[in-house]
């Protein structure tokens, strides 16, 4: 695997990202701890050594001048000793009377108090004090302090350096164990068949991942419900189409037999009439099935729709059908108002409502359509009412007529039993409620669809 692919895989891996960032944080914290420990130890060493240098200089302060006892006046004679700590003493007239055994050469002029001086390729920390009898200077190489600070920092960081690999292993184990349920869910999904929509177990999942799996289970439920609906639809459609297709086949056979009869002209005319009616019923059924399937699978975006305008169009489209049956069709009331929905779907709803009313109303009857704005405990609503003077629907049948392909027993009007099922599906998708009752004014059926405004 190329380094670029490896980096891309690490970036998109939750486990890899967690391990990378946590281990990087541990490393950065260890480096920061080392830096802080070193600076703290160096500051402590400075304070301690400064104090000791000051105390040493004060202890050498006396009224009796110091001098090199073995070779008076020969203070520059090289002596074997350490260069880490150097002590020099001058008389009041500026003559050096004492110098500790050291090869270090420091400036002959002293600055009272603490100061840093660069000499002999290194830096010295110098403390000078002056009395009436002499001037005492104590100097120390700063490398000694840095070495001690490094040793102290290493002692502090030793346990941390030992614990870092153990801590990294613990972090790796904890992160891998925490993500194991996620890997389990992935394996469950990978081993499933295409038609397996059972819920995924969310046991042991972290709180951050559990909502994702729960939403996935809800999605599986919706897809399973859609599959069940489609299977039911296909089964119902196959059952309902079998009858008109069988009738068409019988009518074709009847048309063939009419050619062999003496009164073949009349028989053929009757057979052709029945065949045309059968084809029309089958065509109407297929159209209704397609409309129902389209509405159940529709995912078009919603937009503001003026119900009064749709009601006017529906009445105008069906006025010719009503006139053929001598039915008085009209828009009784049209209050302004908009609802969120799909214009095409709502037009199908209104057309089916009016068409059903015309279909089941006897000739010479009345069908009235109204759109009213109403206020109740649930808030403002827009209601579409379609009333007719037909026979209506018995109270015990008003729930069953919403089922697909169900028709009220004894109904004389031709139909597929899908009109109200389509209306109900569209209403539910728009958050509306559909109810059937008896029209107090016309005596027939009253269909009311209530939309939240």
């Amino acid at each position: 695997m190329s380094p670029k692919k490896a980096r891309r895989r690490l970036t998109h891996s939750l486990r890899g990202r967690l391990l990378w960032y946590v281990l990087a944080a541990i490393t950065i914290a260890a480096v920061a701890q080392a830096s802080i420990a070193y600076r703290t130890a160096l500051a402590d060493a400075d304070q301690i050594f400064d104090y000791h240098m000051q105390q040493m200089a004060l202890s050498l302060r006396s009224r009796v001048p110091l001098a090199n006892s073995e070779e008076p006046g020969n203070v520059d004679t090289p002596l074997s000793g350490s260069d880490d700590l150097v002590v020099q003493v001058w008389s009041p007239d500026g003559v050096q009377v004492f110098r500790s055994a050291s090869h270090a050469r420091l400036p002959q002029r002293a600055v009272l108090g603490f100061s840093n001086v660069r000499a002999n390729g290194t830096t010295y920390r110098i403390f000078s004090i002056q009395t009436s009898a002499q001037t005492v200077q104590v100097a120390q190489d700063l490398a000694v302090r840095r070495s001690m600070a490094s040793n102290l920092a290493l002692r502090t960081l030793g346990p941390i350096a030992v614990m870092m690999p153990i801590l990294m292993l613990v972090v790796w184990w904890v992160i891998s164990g925490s993500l194991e349920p996620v890997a389990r869910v992935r394996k469950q999904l990978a081993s499933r068949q295409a038609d397996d929509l059972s819920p995924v177990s969310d046991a042991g999942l972290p709180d951050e991942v559990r909502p994702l799996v729960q939403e996935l289970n809800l999605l599986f439920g919706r897809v399973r419900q859609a599959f069940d609906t489609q299977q039911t639809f296909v089964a119902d459609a196959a059952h309902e189409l079998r009858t008109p297709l069988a009738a068409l086949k019988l009518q074709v056979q009847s048309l063939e037999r009419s050619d062999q009869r003496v009164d073949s002209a009349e028989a053929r005319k009757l057979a052709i009439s029945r065949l045309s009616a059968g084809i029309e019923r089958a065509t109407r059924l297929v159209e209704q099935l397609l409309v129902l399937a389209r509405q159940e699978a529709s995912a078009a975006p919603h937009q503001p729709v003026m119900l009064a305008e749709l009601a006017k169009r529906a009445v105008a489209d069906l006025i010719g059908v009503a006139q053929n049956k001598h039915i008085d069709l009209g828009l009784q009331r049209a209050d302004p108002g908009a609802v969120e929905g799909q214009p095409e779907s709502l037009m199908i709803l209104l057309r089916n409502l009016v068409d059903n009313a015309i279909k089941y109303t006897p000739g010479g009857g009345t069908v009235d359509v109204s759109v009213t704005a109403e206020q109740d405990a649930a808030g403002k609503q827009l209601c579409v009412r379609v009333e007719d003077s037909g026979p209506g629907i018995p109270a015990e049948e008003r729930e069953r007529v919403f089922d697909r392909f169900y028709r009220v027993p004894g109904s004389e009007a031709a139909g597929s039993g899908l009109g109200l099922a389509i209306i109900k599906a569209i209403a539910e998708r728009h958050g509306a409620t559909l109810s059937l009752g008896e029209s107090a004014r016309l005596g027939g059926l009253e269909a009311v669809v209530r939309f939240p405004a």
Side-chain angles (χ1 to χ4, degrees):
M1 181 183 297
S2 65
K4 184 176 181 181
K5 291 183 178 180
R7 287 195 300 270
R8 187 184 302 114
R9 182 178 179 183
L10 178 63
T11 303
H12 289 86
S13 169
L14 179 61
R15 176 175 173 271
R17 290 170 65 183
L18 288 175
L19 286 173
W20 171 259
Y21 288 122
V22 172
L23 296 182
I26 292 175
T27 303
I28 293 173
V31 173
Q33 178 66 24
S35 176
I36 294 173
Y38 175 78
R39 291 178 180 275
T40 302
L42 185 59
D44 292 343
D46 284 340
Q47 292 180 359
I48 294 173
F49 281 115
D50 284 351
Y51 174 76
H52 284 296
M53 289 171 61
Q54 187 177 13
Q55 293 301 315
M56 180 180 292
L58 292 175
S59 66
L60 294 175
R61 180 184 61 182
S62 76
R63 295 182 180 273
V64 179
L66 294 176
N68 287 57
S69 58
E70 294 184 2
E71 297 184 22
N74 190 15
V75 295
D76 291 333
T77 303
L79 300 174
S80 61
S82 174
D83 295 338
D84 294 343
L85 191 65
V86 181
V87 180
Q88 298 183 112
V89 181
W90 289 275
S91 63
D93 54 0
V95 177
Q96 189 180 64
V97 296
F98 177 82
R99 180 169 61 86
S100 62
S102 173
H103 294 84
R105 299 295 180 181
L106 296 179
Q108 297 299 312
R109 300 179 62 184
V111 177
L112 298 181
F114 287 100
S115 61
N116 293 337
V117 174
R118 182 73 180 174
N120 305 316
T122 186
T123 303
Y124 286 87
R125 178 73 166 171
I126 299 176
F127 179 75
S128 301
I129 187 172
Q130 185 177 26
T131 66
S132 59
Q134 57 193 7
T135 299
V136 180
Q137 182 187 69
V138 181
Q140 185 182 35
D141 190 349
L142 289 182
V144 177
R145 302 186 179 194
R146 288 193 291 267
S147 176
M148 179 173 288
S150 299
N151 292 333
L152 292 176
L154 287 176
R155 293 175 185 174
T156 304
L157 294 176
I160 297 179
V162 174
M163 292 300 296
M164 269 190 63
I166 300 176
L167 180 60
M168 290 180 175
L169 289 175
V170 171
V171 168
W172 177 84
W173 178 75
V174 169
I175 292 178
S176 299
S178 300
L179 294 178
E180 181 62 29
V182 180
R184 173 175 53 82
V185 171
R186 181 186 61 81
K187 292 178 182 177
Q188 287 183 11
L189 295 176
S191 62
R192 286 192 172 199
Q193 299 297 325
D195 57 348
D196 186 2
L197 297 175
S198 59
V200 179
S201 174
D202 60 355
L205 287 176
D207 293 341
E208 293 79 8
V209 181
R210 184 178 291 111
L212 175 63
V213 175
Q214 292 173 348
E215 291 297 328
L216 183 63
N217 288 334
L218 292 177
L219 176 61
F220 282 165
R222 292 193 294 269
V223 174
R224 183 171 59 251
Q225 183 179 4
F227 281 172
D228 294 342
T229 301
Q230 290 299 320
Q231 290 176 355
T232 303
F233 172 79
V234 171
D236 292 345
H239 173 74
E240 291 300 321
L241 284 172
R242 188 178 298 114
T243 301
L245 291 177
L248 288 176
K249 183 177 180 181
L250 293 175
Q251 289 159 6
V252 170
Q253 293 174 352
S254 176
L255 181 60
E256 292 176 348
R257 287 194 299 268
S258 66
D259 292 335
Q260 303 174 359
R261 299 172 57 181
V262 177
D263 54 345
S264 60
E266 292 295 330
R268 186 184 299 108
K269 184 178 180 180
L270 179 61
I272 291 175
S273 175
R274 290 177 177 175
L275 181 60
S276 298
I279 293 175
E280 185 178 351
R281 285 194 298 270
T283 302
R284 176 64 176 170
L285 176 59
V286 171
E287 288 177 351
Q288 292 285 72
L289 287 172
L290 292 176
V291 170
L292 180 60
R294 196 161 54 243
Q295 294 306 313
E296 289 181 341
S298 177
H302 286 200
Q303 63 187 58
V305 179
M306 301 299 294
L307 282 181
E309 297 299 324
L310 291 185
K312 293 177 183 178
R313 287 173 50 192
V315 171
D317 291 345
L318 295 172
I319 192 69
V321 180
Q323 288 176 350
N324 289 337
K325 291 186 65 175
H326 304 287
I327 292 176
D328 180 15
L329 172 63
L331 183 62
Q332 187 183 29
R333 181 176 173 181
D335 292 346
V339 297
E340 289 290 327
Q342 302 169 356
E344 181 182 355
S345 298
L346 292 177
M347 189 63 188
I348 294 174
L349 179 146
L350 290 170
R351 283 179 58 90
N352 275 274
L353 280 175
V354 178
D355 184 59
N356 277 354
I358 295 174
K359 185 184 299 182
Y360 292 96
T361 299
T366 302
V367 175
D368 284 338
V369 182
S370 61
V371 178
T372 58
E374 300 179 0
Q375 183 77 28
D376 60 6
K380 188 177 180 180
Q381 295 179 332
L382 283 177
C383 298
V384 177
R385 281 186 172 82
V386 179
E387 302 175 79
D388 61 62
S389 58
I393 299 177
E396 62 274 10
E397 298 285 342
R398 289 173 186 165
E399 289 298 326
R400 295 198 60 190
V401 294
F402 294 121
D403 297 338
R404 297 172 180 173
F405 309 110
Y406 180 80
R407 302 183 70 239
V408 178
S411 176
E412 297 180 358
S416 60
L418 286 174
L420 288 175
I422 293 174
I423 295 170
K424 184 179 181 182
I426 297 174
E428 289 179 346
R429 195 168 62 252
H430 287 78
T433 58
L434 172 62
S435 60
L436 302 178
E438 183 178 352
S439 174
R441 188 169 56 85
L442 299 179
L445 182 68
E446 179 188 52
V448 183
V449 184
R450 292 180 171 83
F451 295 86

